[in-house]
Amino acid sequence: MALEALVFDVDGTLSETERDGHRVAFNMAFDEAGLDWNWTDALYGELLAVTGGKERIRFYLDKFNTSFKRPDDLVEFIAGLHASKTSHYVTLLSKGGIPLRTGVKRLLEEARAEGLRLAIATTTTVNNVHALLEHALSAESIDWFEVIGAGDVVPAKKPAPDIYNYVLEKMHLKPEQCMVFEDSANGIKSAGGASLSIIITVDSYTTQHDFTGAKLILDQMGEPDQPFKVIGGSQASIVTDDDKYLNIDLVRRIHSA
Ligand code: XBP
Ligand code: MG
């Protein structure tokens, strides 16, 4: 089946948001709430095993801060912390310090020029997706995406396949008509669970993840003057010496292989 649509993960794929964005915003929310919790870079790497900010806070309490005296309404407490974190995160993005990863803007523009349909499938909150697109790309770019599947729109977050199935259903597409772009093991499990083809661009937190099942694994999408490195993937042999960066022609060749 011909390639019809590209579906993008956000955190780690469109932008390296975790270390200097989400992590910092969580710590600001904890500080504001008078908590002495500090999510260091190393601890945050472990906490990323669980997707979703609210789910991550609960995981932290269950595994790393078991002596914390929990309030009676833990669900509401976590929701309050998370709302504060989202507000800090959006403010951080509005200051413009969190750019898109190399090659993302070029690939999106090329896809649009070729008439491919675009969508997002992410665990993060929809406000965060809008803020990232607005400040790292352009306000208009929010409309480039036909569907933005985000956060609590599905009950089970990645690694469950729900968010990808949601996007496929909304777009009336079959998995064979799409290519997914992901950066993490939870992401590949989620997209793979929806029978989708996946290209991985690893990031600083995910280089050691298991990407079994990916068609192509790259260090980045790259640009003509910043070539990608091919790390692996079942269709890695499709990439020739002339391929220096991920463009739509290469995406199509990987998709049809
Ligand atoms: C992204 C996440 C998110 C963000 C936090 O995973 O794990 O939880 O870290 O977002 P993926 P919220 O890239 O696999 O979608 O705090 O808004 O939930
Ligand atoms: Mg991700």
Side-chain angles (χ1 to χ4, degrees), residues 14 100-111 136-138 144 221 223:
L14 295 186
L100 295 184
R101 290 188 66 183
T102 304
V104 169
K105 180 168 186 273
R106 175 190 49 71
L107 189 76
L108 289 172
E109 286 173 342
E110 212 186 307
L137 195 49
S138 65
W144 295 4
M221 291 181 186
E223 290 288 9

Side-chain angles (χ1 to χ4, degrees), residues 125-163:
T125 310
V126 70
N127 292 0
N128 296 349
V129 181
H130 286 199
L132 178 72
L133 292 174
E134 182 182 343
H135 297 293
L137 195 49
S138 65
E140 305 77 60
S141 68
I142 295 167
D143 296 329
W144 295 4
F145 298 90
E146 201 177 312
V147 175
I148 296 182
D152 296 326
V153 73
V154 288
K157 294 185 177 165
K158 300 175 188 177
D162 303 28
I163 196 69

Side-chain angles (χ1 to χ4, degrees), residues 9-13 17-18 22-23 26 44 47-57 82 85-86 89 121-129 151-152 157-159 163-164 182-188 190 203:
D9 167 52
V10 174
D11 297 302
T13 301
T17 48
E18 295 290 7
H22 289 293
R23 185 185 69 86
F26 278 114
Y44 197 68
L47 295 172
L48 282 172
V50 169
T51 64
K54 294 191 286 285
E55 294 79 355
R56 189 166 298 142
I57 293 170
H82 188 251
K85 175 260 171 178
T86 299
Y89 180 73
T122 179
T123 297
T124 202
T125 310
V126 70
N127 292 0
N128 296 349
V129 181
D152 296 326
K157 294 185 177 165
K158 300 175 188 177
I163 196 69
Y164 281 103
E182 269 287 357
D183 71 303
S184 70
N186 280 324
I188 196 174
S190 174
D203 66 64

Side-chain angles (χ1 to χ4, degrees), residues 158-232:
K158 300 175 188 177
D162 303 28
I163 196 69
Y164 281 103
N165 285 328
Y166 170 88
V167 168
L168 289 173
E169 201 178 302
K170 286 265 170 205
M171 295 177 87
H172 304 287
L173 286 169
K174 295 190 168 56
E176 307 83 62
Q177 296 173 291
C178 306
M179 182 62 83
V180 165
F181 299 84
E182 269 287 357
D183 71 303
S184 70
N186 280 324
I188 196 174
K189 279 187 203 139
S190 174
S195 306
L196 286 150
S197 295
I198 304 142
I199 294 176
I200 295 285
T201 45
V202 300
D203 66 64
S204 49
Y205 277 123
T206 67
T207 46
Q208 301 306 317
H209 284 196
D210 178 3
F211 291 120
T212 306
K215 292 220 166 186
L216 184 63
I217 307 166
L218 303 170
D219 68 331
Q220 57 166 336
M221 291 181 186
E223 290 288 9
D225 59 346
Q226 285 168 269
F228 59 37
K229 281 196 195 66
V230 176
I231 297 169

